[in-house]
Each structure stands twice: as C-alpha cells, then as structure tokens.
Amino acid sequence: MNINHNFLRKFDGPLTRDLVLAPGQFGLGQVPKHSQPDATTTTVCGFCSTGCGLNVHLRQSEAINLTPATDYPVNLGMACPKGWEALTPLAAQDRVVTPLLRGSGIVRSIDWDSAMQVFTLRFKAIQDKWGPASIAFISTGQIVTEEMAFLGALAKFGMGMLHGDGNTRQCMATAATAYKQSFGFDAPPFSYADFEESDVIVLVGSNVCIAHPILWQRILQNKRKPRIVVIDPRATETALAATHHLPIRPKSDLTFFYGVANALIERQWLDQSFIARHTVNYPAFAEHVSEFSISRVSAETGLTREQFSSFIHLLAPGNRVSYWWTMGVNQSHEGTRLAQSIINLALMTGNIGKPGTGANSITGQCNAMGSRLFSNTSSLLGGRNFASAEDRSAVSKILGIEQTLIQTQPGYAYDQIMDAIDAGEIKGLWIIATNTAHSWIDQQAAKKTLSKLDFLVVQDLYHSTETAALAHMILPAAGWGEKEGTFINSERRIGLTKKVRKAPGQALSDFNIFRLVSQYWGCGQLFSSWSSPQAVFQILKRLSKDQPCDISGIEDYRHLDRLRGVQWPWADPHNDPPVHRSLFEDGHFYHSDRKARFLFDRPRPPVELCTREFPFILLTGRGSSAQWHTQTRTGKSAILRKLYPADPYFELHPEDARRYRINSGDLVTIESSRGKLNAAALVTSNLQPGQIFMPMHYATTNLLTCASFDPHSRQPSYKYSAVRIYPAANGPVAF
Ligand code: SF4
C-alpha cells in the first residue's frame, strides 16, 4: 500500500492559539486562584443542542478550567452541570489511546498503519464478496459538521457504501421529516429570543427544566408574564414549574391536537388571511378535525372538559403563542403527524414568522442540526435530495466528482441497517461516536444483531462502551475540546468549537481518521481539498449556496468566533447578521409554490398495548440535567455522579405501590416480553396509575423497550412499552 508515513505523523494538529481572549477577559471571573490561566478562548459546548458558549481558560494553550461565556447570545453567562464539567471526561482512565484489534478473544494494541491496513482489507474483502451495500456506517450528532460531511462523502462517494445513518434518527428524524413535508425544507423556524417574546408557551413532551435547562432560564427571562403550558403524561420538573399542566394519556396527543384545531375552528379563532395566502390543504384538514369533538378528546386523553377548555382559552386571538416540542413528540409511532398537528395549529392561527410564535422543535445533540443538513445520510449534502438529478448535479460540480458516484436514494435508515445486518445483507459496520448496544431500542435484539457482523469497527473516545465491547476493532478518537469545527444548535446557530487540549496517546480527531481512511482506501484524491476542518467549512459554504440553509455570507472561523455564532441562513458577505433571527417573516415557505402544507392522518394505537399479563405503560426519558444519553462521558465525572442515583430506579404511582405492596427503595423487577431488569422503586404521584417511568440513561433500560417506528421518519418510539412489575425477591405474582 502506497502510504507516506510522514502523513501519519502530521495528524495531531496545533492547539487553538489564534482565537483567544487576552488575560483579564474571563467572563464570570470564577477562575480558582490556584490555577491562574494565561489566556481564555470561547468555544461551544459539546453536549446538548442548546449550544452554550463556554470560556475555556488556558495555561500554555492547554485548558485548565472553564466558565460560561457571558457574552454568548445563547446562554448569557449560564451553563448546566454538564457544561461546567465538560473538560472532566477527557481525562478519564478508559480513553482509547491506540487502535485496538480483537482476535481469538484477545484485544491487542496496534499502530495506525496496521489498523488502517486491517480496516481497509477487511471491509474491502466483504465488499468484494457481497457487494458494495454489504458495509455501512452509523454516525452521531456529537461530531462537528465538517467531520459529518467528510464521513458521509467518504463513505458514500469514496468507499461506495449505499447505507449510512446516524443516532440523530433516534432523536430528530421526526422533526426533520415533519418540517420537510410541511415547509418544504427541514427548517426549525425560531430563535431563542422567541421564548422571551411569547404570551403563551406550550411545551409538548418536553421536560425543558432538565433536558435544556438554559432554555428554561430563557423562558424565565420573559417579561410578558407568559402562561406556560406543559402537555405531558408526567408531572415533570417543568410541569411543576409551569402555570398549566395537561397530564394527557400517553399517545393520546394526536387526538388532543386535532381536538384543539377543531375547537379553534368552531370559535373562528383563525388567521384566515394567512391560511389563504400562505398554506394549502386547509379545507381538507378542517373537515378531518371536525370529528374531534370535546367529548371525544376528553374520553381519549383523560383530560376534563374544563382542562381542555381552559387551554383553548389561552389560544385566543391577540396572544402570541409559541409551541415547543422534544422527544415526547419525536419518539412516537406517529411522531411525524403529531409534529405536524402542532405545526398545523401555528399555521391556522398565523402564529409563525412573528416574535414569540412558531412551531418549534428543540433538538437534542449538540450537532443534530448539522447532521440533518450535512451528514449525507437522509439528505444529500446541503439539505438536498438524493432523488433529484438537479441536486446530484449541483453537488457533483461543487465537489468536482463524477455524478455517477452519487446514489439516487438516501439508503437505509438506522432500523433498516439493523434489519439488514440481521438478515445477513450487511456484514461490515463502522460505528462512529455512538453507543448502539446501549441506546438502540429492544437492546437484547440489537446486541444479537451486532454480534452477527463479520467486522465491526467502533471509533470512540472510550474502550468501555457497551458497543466497543462487541467491536473487532476500536479506533481512538479525540473528543470535544481536542479538535475544532462547527456545531449547529437548535436555533440554527452555527458555533465554533475549538481545540483546547491534546488528545491522549495516539488518538486522532475523527476528521483526521477520515483523512487516513481515504488515503488507505485509495480514494484520497477525491478529497484532496478536504485538508482541514477550516477548508471543509469553505466547502460547506459552497454546498449551502442558494439552499434555504445558505451560509455563504460567513467568511471563516474567525468571523464566526467574532460574531458569537451565526444563525443560518446568512448569504450576505458584506454585512453582519442580527444576533437573533426567526424564519418565515414574509410567510414564504420552501415548497415550489412558497406555501406550507396542512398534513394529517387518523390517530393509530401504539404497536404494543397493555394486557393482563403486561398491565403497565413504561415511559422513558431524561433523568437529570447531569446525565447525557448513555453516560459514556457524564458518567466519568465524580461531581455529576453525585447529582443522580447511581443505580437504576423507576417511578410508580402510590396507588400501584399500595396494590403491589411496594415501598420507595424496594428492589423491583420490571419485565416486558423482550427482557427484564431490576430497579429501585420511587413512589410518586408525578405520574398516573398504570404508568411507570424509568430514565433512559441506565444500561438496562432498553432491555424493555418495544421496537416500533414512525412510518415517515423511521424514528423509534421509545416512550410506550407494555411491562409488568413484581418485587424482585418474589417473582411474578397475580393480582
Ligand atoms: Fe448548555 Fe447544553 Fe452544554 Fe448544558 S449541556 S452547558 S445546556 S449546551
């Protein structure tokens, strides 16, 4: 193999030196005296999609600690516990420091040259025998946009893979699909300033207080004395702090929102002019929702007529109403239509394109939005369409590649990749920065599926993840803070994240691992201009040109850094954008007729219903603001670990606790038809009888979850599974 070995040595790029503040400009100034920094730089947090700015304090260019940036327009000097502890996981003992290869049950350390040779030979051998579609990749919303684009282009255009997806399928696919269908492009319309301009803030399936704590702080900065409505089966931390809580039955939300639409039509609380000028399909929608009377809504949702009517009253004309949703909507068997039932309310009342309004999906991971636009998975680079010859032609010209290298279909979604592995169609898998064996729905089946692979490569920071334990090869990756690039947050703000620490051992940035792979695979020539994240940012600008997500007006990283992030779109190279911008002020959407669509369907029951044998509905969700997903990073911080129970627990209602003779602290077995686990009981009236809740972060939670998917977005429905419970010591008992 013709490899220049100097090429390998050059890969660990320099620390950020050129984008630092002078000493003395330290944000909150909370730098401990014992570790005086000599400079500070601002970077964007690498956990959640809020996208907070963090001032990282440096000594000799290495991070020693951090404080929230007071001048960053997202967080205004605040950070949640994860942000404050963002540097800690980088120093964990279980970092992968060299490539690792498993063989005959033994894991051995190898050098990068050997790793790349094995990577290439094994994957190519599979492709030679079984065809190009026999290898695939699964990526993440945690790496920078430049890396996502590189991976997507490398895998599909360079390595000939047909199938690749990301863990954003688990959190944001529904919102992306709903926006694409309704607006003509995946375009969350809001800015965070809308939280502060609303009269009525409707939070649907969204526990903002712990999932996006800084956004809750933005809500609290609203001076209009807003009514805050939480629509959620559980009395979450957010519901307890809200002015109104509507504890609807799980998965009755589509009926609820159609009932709301019907009630607004009956009262004629509509923006008829907006409907006529800027939407299509309203008459059919109005007819559809006419079946959703208040009696039906009350019977199916469990809400009283008074609860329903008092909510409708809040939506009276003249109020600025903003709707916000997260996983309670997206992770549903009918999530896309549910998200669109919320979008429909905003459209019919003209609550879009004006301050304090919108149908607003808050994303999950720090770069979920980057993945949606640039990962080259469900959309062609730049939010384009694989099926469009025009789009394929544009991308081939921008990248200087043959159009025949670009597939005419997006390829399989995550669940379809898993099914194809199960069926023996996919035999090689490259997993980048995600923990499938923990987070995928119906975990036992997922692990069994992964174990069928002939060759599984995991590229991650840690060798201790559940997925790395199944891998044939582990590639050591640099983490947040050890590399540079851009993230796109929930409000479409592109922010810069910087290298403030050296990665340990031989770990490389994902970007440089992709460069290596391209060289060893023999397609390096295709990516000769993809030489650094900054160079790829210029390619992304060209890919976005004249798209709704046009960022061609941003000059470079320095420009982004100076402006403290820029929301897309921004195409004007001569002027700086305003700090906050929302979309659709002119009522123009992205379909060819510039009009939004009313889209709807009949509500359907969940795939798995409760029975006498499995009488409880299992709800899952975030446990605390100190935990992140599968805890591969947050679990490394002793401070964060103090903020949540170490062992699995679940919540159940006092009535059920009495019936089953369970007290708080008792060890209880929870069992579904797929698996079982033990967890400590927490008796609370925060949920309804017949429901239990368990945080998603524990390694065993997904043993219970039922694999069902929204048919449009193919997002898994994590929030409704049928289970039974019994004291762990006793075994199942009949009641
Ligand atoms: Fe902000 Fe999210 Fe980071 Fe917390 S995890 S500091 S809310 S970006």
Side-chain angles (χ1 to χ4, degrees), residues 45-52 54 79-80 82-84 212-214:
C45 178
F47 282 106
C48 91
S49 67
T50 304
C52 297
L54 302 173
C80 83
K82 297 186 292 295
W84 279 101
H212 299 91
I214 302 309

Side-chain angles (χ1 to χ4, degrees), residues 514-662:
F514 302 145
R515 283 186 74 201
L516 268 183
V517 170
S518 72
Q519 293 292 326
Y520 278 77
W521 197 269
C523 59
Q525 200 52 37
L526 270 185
F527 301 100
S528 55
S529 59
W530 299 56
S531 55
S532 68
Q534 302 216 32
V536 172
F537 184 72
Q538 297 304 321
I539 296 172
L540 300 182
K541 284 169 58 180
R542 294 198 288 280
L543 285 164
S544 75
K545 183 83 184 127
D546 297 328
Q547 288 290 99
C549 58
D550 194 333
I551 53 169
S552 58
I554 304 169
E555 194 181 338
D556 55 16
Y557 281 1
R558 279 182 173 278
H559 193 193
L560 270 182
D561 201 40
R562 178 170 64 77
L563 295 179
R564 299 309 202 222
V566 175
Q567 288 177 282
W568 66 257
W570 191 250
D572 179 354
H574 306 297
N575 293 293
D576 286 342
V579 174
H580 291 292
R581 282 173 299 135
S582 298
L583 301 177
F584 309 133
E585 280 176 12
D586 56 3
H588 289 164
F589 296 88
Y590 300 117
H591 285 294
S592 54
D593 59 4
R594 316 296 302 270
K595 294 184 176 183
R597 292 346 187 209
F598 281 93
L599 295 164
F600 51 90
D601 245 330
R602 277 188 180 284
R604 290 180 293 113
V607 168
E608 179 174 79
L609 294 172
C610 291
T611 60
R612 272 178 66 84
E613 201 184 353
F614 296 104
F616 283 90
I617 300 168
L618 169 71
L619 310 170
T620 62
R622 288 193 193 276
S624 72
S625 61
Q627 290 165 287
W628 184 245
H629 292 182
T630 67
Q631 300 202 110
T632 51
R633 284 184 289 165
T634 48
K636 305 292 189 301
S637 159
I639 291 174
L640 295 181
R641 286 199 305 273
K642 287 197 174 109
L643 301 177
Y644 57 85
D647 296 321
Y649 74 94
F650 75 105
E651 298 177 356
L652 85 162
H653 191 271
E655 267 181 33
D656 293 323
R658 264 194 302 278
R659 205 161 143 244
Y660 283 70
R661 297 188 189 90
I662 292 170

Side-chain angles (χ1 to χ4, degrees), residues 3-11 112-113 508 516 520:
I3 293 295
N4 173 358
H5 286 263
N6 280 330
F7 184 79
L8 291 176
R9 271 180 232 116
K10 281 192 300 192
F11 269 123
W112 273 106
D113 180 42
L508 295 175
L516 268 183
Y520 278 77

Side-chain angles (χ1 to χ4, degrees), residues 118 192 271 406 521 602-603 645:
V118 174
Y192 295 153
D271 188 335
I406 305 176
W521 197 269
R602 277 188 180 284

Side-chain angles (χ1 to χ4, degrees), residues 94 96 100 102 107 431 434-438 450 456-475 632:
D94 55 349
V96 199
L100 299 173
R102 192 189 311 272
V107 179
I431 293 183
T434 191
N435 193 3
T436 305
H438 180 314
L450 292 177
L456 171 61
V457 177
V458 168
Q459 182 169 315
D460 208 323
L461 278 71
Y462 307 106
H463 56 69
S464 57
T465 72
E466 288 80 359
T467 312
L470 303 173
H472 300 100
M473 176 184 278
I474 305 174
L475 299 178
T632 51

